[in-house]
Amino acid sequence: MTTINPRRNRKTTRLQQWNYGWAGVYFITICTKNRVHYFGKIENQKMILSPVGIIANILWYEIKNHARNVELGAFVVMPNHVHGVIFITS
């Protein structure tokens, strides 16, 4: 029996002629599976990080220790996703 991967049917928003390893500024979003609120919750209009959210926040800043030619921009942890800006330098 073969299974169909629904992700193969998704349209890509990537520019086909662009190499994403090139220098540039990249806005990224990473979502949790099934949009489950693993990273915390919002109370009184403030994000309260869960232990997993704290780890996600710490690991964002660790990127510079593991990747050359990378600068980090704005970053935010939301209940079910993270947003960040990464600068890849030449």
Side-chain angles (χ1 to χ4, degrees):
M1 181 171 107
T2 60
T3 59
I4 297 172
N5 184 345
R7 291 182 182 250
R8 289 188 182 169
N9 296 329
R10 289 177 35 182
K11 291 183 181 179
T12 180
T13 57
R14 291 178 175 241
L15 184 61
Q16 295 302 310
Q17 48 280 43
W18 185 260
N19 178 339
Y20 286 87
W22 289 344
V25 180
Y26 298 92
F27 178 79
I28 62 166
T29 299
I30 302 172
C31 300
T32 61
K33 185 175 181 178
N34 298 321
R35 307 272 195 220
V36 176
H37 289 196
Y38 289 121
F39 299 132
K41 58 186 174 181
I42 297 177
E43 287 183 357
N44 299 320
Q45 299 181 337
K46 183 177 179 188
M47 180 62 190
I48 308 299
L49 295 176
S50 69
V52 174
I54 292 169
I55 292 169
N57 190 63
I58 290 169
L59 291 179
W60 170 260
Y61 297 100
E62 282 292 314
I63 291 172
K64 286 188 66 168
N65 297 326
H66 301 279
R68 290 180 284 163
N69 303 327
V70 170
E71 296 294 328
L72 301 176
F75 176 73
V76 64
V77 178
M78 300 302 292
N80 63 1
H81 64 284
V82 297
H83 292 295
V85 177
I86 295 178
F87 300 84
I88 299 179
T89 60
S90 58

